[in-house]
Amino acid sequence: MTTTAIKGGRILDQQGERSGDVVVDDLTGLIVQVGPDLKADRVLDAANCLTTPGFVDLHVHLRQPGNEAAETILSGSRAAAKGGFTAVVAMPNTTPCMDDPAVVSQVMDLGEKALCQIKPSAAISLGRHGTELSPMAELVEQGVRMFTDDGTGVQDDLFMRRALEYAAGLEPGDGTSVVLAQHCEVDALSAGGVMHEGEWSSKLGLGGQPAEAEELMVMRDIAMARLTGMRVHFQHLSTAGSVAMVRAAKAGGLPITAEAAPHHFSLTDQSCATYNANFKVHPPLRTSNDVAAIRSGLLDGTIDAIATDHAPHTPDTKELPFDQAPPGMLGLETALAVAIKELGAPLGDIVAMLSWKPAKIAGLDATHGRPVQVGSQANLAVIDPHQAWVVSGAKMASNSSNTPFEGVELKGKVRHTVFNGEVVVENGEPTR
Ligand code: DOR
């Protein structure tokens, strides 16, 4: 047994901010002491830092199985831990697709060696083709709680209705529930588009995806939540219209949650003028009006959580011309600092969006996003909100380097991360 003391910092959680050292035990994985001047076998310096519940990312692409050159579960978990995440929900668009208990088992087994908890999601439909349901009941028995065809949205209205109705009957029996998460994109409208449709797509001569390609599916799925009474989670919202609809639907009492990605509250479609494919993502970077709406959606609670949509791609694919390169950008190692820079919110609100709010949506709130108190699972991030650093794709723990923030100076860094009592990041570096 090794105990570790996080010393000299303050604590920030859902109960507010206070001073205190924290001692964790790697054998039980629990917080065993909180208070002044604590001692342990090992010490982590937390001077100028805040000890917070570890972050939970509802949306990461780990690429294993199938594209291990871009990311593996282990390398993605290192990136997650460096970003302060102690749990991530893995998206199912692997090769083969996570629509099947065998593939989900493989991901879970590989996740055993990871530096954070790997919670697999699974596809709503076989092959993410939107026509036949995946074996949802079996997958729920395995531990899956989130279903999504992410990468694409479920196009067929009746199929979406049936998926929600079927999922409504699935009760895990452990106090958690099942949620269907939607990548909102009407393919017929976005087809041929490689960026947001607007002034910049016209100027650059690139095919556009209108905001309405997202908004029509948000509108439909709000209607579906009303029709079926089933929970819907909206992934990576990117438009002002989507935020307005979700705000109204929540005010009307519908069981809806939503996430937004850091790039959608920090970057606009103007970035694509560089023709640098690191700015290509689905849904695409939108206008400054949309960016402002995503920020206010997060600030007023319309959007519950920050989720990175961490989407690693190898350099050879991202070096292709903009219209041919795959969409997606890294997010795990920059999420906290981008949120601090762009949201102008109290740090406690930002940690809420990164930690206990997403933990609840993912059904991970028994062990993640817990108050920093004796008896809680020791899943913790120790963050220095003032530390300045310059983003470098080459220095990231991810196997890929496709960050849209290359060379940007940010403030706010994760100094240490503790996962189930184990120090997985010390002084900014993964320990294994
Ligand atoms: O930009 C994206 N990249 N959007 C998605 O929905 C999928 C993701 C990926 O898997 O690369």
Side-chain angles (χ1 to χ4, degrees), residues 61 63 93 150-151 183 236 280-283 309 311 313 327-328:
H61 298 272
R63 306 294 187 222
N93 62 338
D150 183 58
H183 167 124
H236 46 43
K280 181 174 177 181
V281 66
H282 288 174
D309 194 4
H313 289 285

Side-chain angles (χ1 to χ4, degrees), residues 106-119:
Q106 185 189 355
V107 170
M108 283 175 162
D109 289 349
L110 289 163
E112 290 296 313
K113 294 200 177 72
L115 282 73
C116 66
Q117 184 170 347
I118 306 297
K119 182 77 174 171

Side-chain angles (χ1 to χ4, degrees), residues 286-318:
R286 305 275 187 190
T287 67
S288 52
N289 182 45
D290 296 304
V291 167
I294 298 294
R295 284 183 195 160
S296 46
L298 280 162
L299 296 177
D300 74 7
T302 299
I303 302 173
D304 302 85
I306 295 170
T308 68
D309 194 4
H310 179 83
H313 289 285
T314 52
D316 57 321
T317 60
K318 275 296 194 182

Side-chain angles (χ1 to χ4, degrees), residues 98-397:
M98 289 155 63
D99 61 0
D100 169 276
V103 184
V104 169
S105 276
Q106 185 189 355
V107 170
M108 283 175 162
D109 289 349
L110 289 163
E112 290 296 313
K113 294 200 177 72
L115 282 73
C116 66
Q117 184 170 347
I118 306 297
K119 182 77 174 171
S121 65
I124 296 171
S125 68
L126 288 181
R128 299 169 40 250
H129 298 312
T131 50
E132 286 172 88
L133 278 184
S134 68
M136 283 181 158
E138 265 179 88
L139 291 158
V140 167
E141 245 173 58
Q142 269 186 301
V144 172
R145 296 292 176 268
M146 181 181 280
F147 290 88
T148 172
D149 278 357
D150 183 58
T152 49
V154 174
Q155 303 297 309
D156 186 88
D157 307 339
L158 181 59
F159 182 81
M160 190 60 196
R161 175 185 183 173
R162 296 288 180 240
L164 285 163
E165 286 171 343
Y166 186 76
L170 300 173
E171 278 168 20
D174 59 358
T176 64
S177 55
V178 172
V179 64
L180 265 58
Q182 190 74 280
H183 167 124
C184 291
E185 178 179 347
V186 173
D187 289 348
L189 281 176
S190 67
V194 297
M195 65 174 291
H196 173 67
E197 180 178 315
E199 184 192 339
W200 281 99
S201 64
S202 301
K203 278 187 186 153
L204 299 173
L206 292 169
Q209 299 186 2
E212 288 74 6
E214 172 174 312
E215 291 162 359
L216 279 178
M217 197 171 281
V218 171
M219 191 184 289
R220 181 201 71 182
D221 283 355
I222 288 171
M224 290 294 170
R226 187 183 304 116
L227 179 65
T228 63
M230 182 60 187
R231 206 150 73 90
V232 175
H233 175 72
F234 290 110
Q235 296 176 298
H236 46 43
L237 290 185
S238 70
T239 82
S242 296
V243 177
M245 286 188 282
V246 169
R247 185 177 286 123
K250 281 186 158 190
L254 291 179
I256 281 169
T257 54
E259 65 181 44
H263 47 267
H264 286 131
F265 59 77
S266 58
L267 301 170
T268 67
D269 55 346
Q270 189 175 351
S271 308
C272 302
T274 58
Y275 288 101
N276 177 347
N278 284 344
F279 295 105
K280 181 174 177 181
V281 66
H282 288 174
L285 301 178
R286 305 275 187 190
T287 67
S288 52
N289 182 45
D290 296 304
V291 167
I294 298 294
R295 284 183 195 160
S296 46
L298 280 162
L299 296 177
D300 74 7
T302 299
I303 302 173
D304 302 85
I306 295 170
T308 68
D309 194 4
H310 179 83
H313 289 285
T314 52
D316 57 321
T317 60
K318 275 296 194 182
E319 279 159 13
L320 289 167
F322 196 93
D323 57 341
Q324 291 163 39
M329 34 182 77
L330 301 186
L332 285 164
E333 298 179 56
T334 47
L336 170 70
V338 172
I340 289 174
K341 179 176 176 197
E342 302 291 342
L343 293 180
L347 197 57
D349 294 353
I350 290 173
V351 175
M353 296 170 203
L354 283 165
S355 178
W356 51 91
K357 287 170 133 194
K360 189 155 174 40
I361 293 168
L364 290 167
D365 51 323
T367 47
H368 294 268
R370 306 295 304 168
V372 182
Q373 63 191 22
V374 172
S376 288
Q377 197 76 22
N379 288 316
L380 300 166
V382 181
I383 62 180
D384 180 346
H386 302 294
Q387 192 189 330
W389 59 292
V390 177
V391 179
S392 158
K395 288 192 186 150
M396 287 188 170

